[in-house]
Amino acid sequence: MADITLGYWSVRGRAQPIKYLLAYANVDYKLVNYDMIKNEDGTVDRDSWLKKKFSFNFDFSNIPYLIDSDFKVTQTDAIMEYLARKWEMRIPLHALTQLWLLVMHLNGTLPLQSCAT
């Protein structure tokens, strides 16, 4: 069984880069999906997460979350940083240009994402 658990909504979103990093590192992990159900009145039911949210005893009760044995971390950037440092991932010099283009696009689209939700 995997020592790492990743939790997020049952959609692509802020957990997707984490999934890519775990795949790149060839790491097995358990994925826990939480459903958002649209009600007839147009509201969204997020009870699958809200009922469990505080039972994890996170410093910041939010998703995505990652549990690595006894270590718990939330928020996409913090999780990515943790995993990269854990496995001492290094980026080849020739890939830095592509990385910074990716970072610029990511930082440019995240404000749009918050407007849409």
Side-chain angles (χ1 to χ4, degrees):
M1 186 170 149
D3 287 337
I4 293 179
T5 301
L6 175 65
Y8 193 64
W9 300 113
S10 57
V11 297
R12 283 186 292 174
R14 295 181 186 261
Q16 200 61 36
I18 302 164
K19 293 175 186 177
Y20 292 148
L21 186 60
L22 291 166
Y24 177 78
N26 200 25
V27 173
D28 290 329
Y29 64 97
K30 177 184 173 187
L31 180 62
V32 178
N33 286 316
Y34 297 95
D35 293 322
M36 288 188 286
I37 301 166
K38 189 170 184 179
N39 297 320
E40 289 181 18
D41 64 359
T43 60
V44 178
D45 179 359
R46 295 177 282 218
D47 283 348
S48 66
W49 164 243
L50 296 176
K51 287 180 180 177
K52 297 180 181 179
K53 182 175 184 172
F54 296 106
S55 67
F56 291 104
N57 207 20
F58 293 134
D59 289 333
F60 297 97
S61 295
N62 209 348
I63 52 177
Y65 67 78
L66 183 124
I67 301 172
D68 183 4
S69 298
D70 292 333
F71 184 77
K72 300 174 185 178
V73 61
T74 61
Q75 306 292 19
T76 303
D77 291 345
I79 294 168
M80 297 283 287
E81 179 91 15
Y82 168 74
L83 294 175
R85 288 178 186 258
K86 176 179 177 159
W87 294 307
E88 297 181 6
M89 293 181 172
R90 303 280 189 251
I91 298 171
L93 188 58
H94 68 275
L96 281 177
T97 304
Q98 292 175 331
L99 170 68
W100 290 117
L101 284 172
L102 177 64
V103 170
M104 285 188 297
H105 286 290
L106 179 62
N107 288 333
T109 58
L110 285 179
L112 296 175
Q113 199 174 28
S114 64
C115 291
T117 57

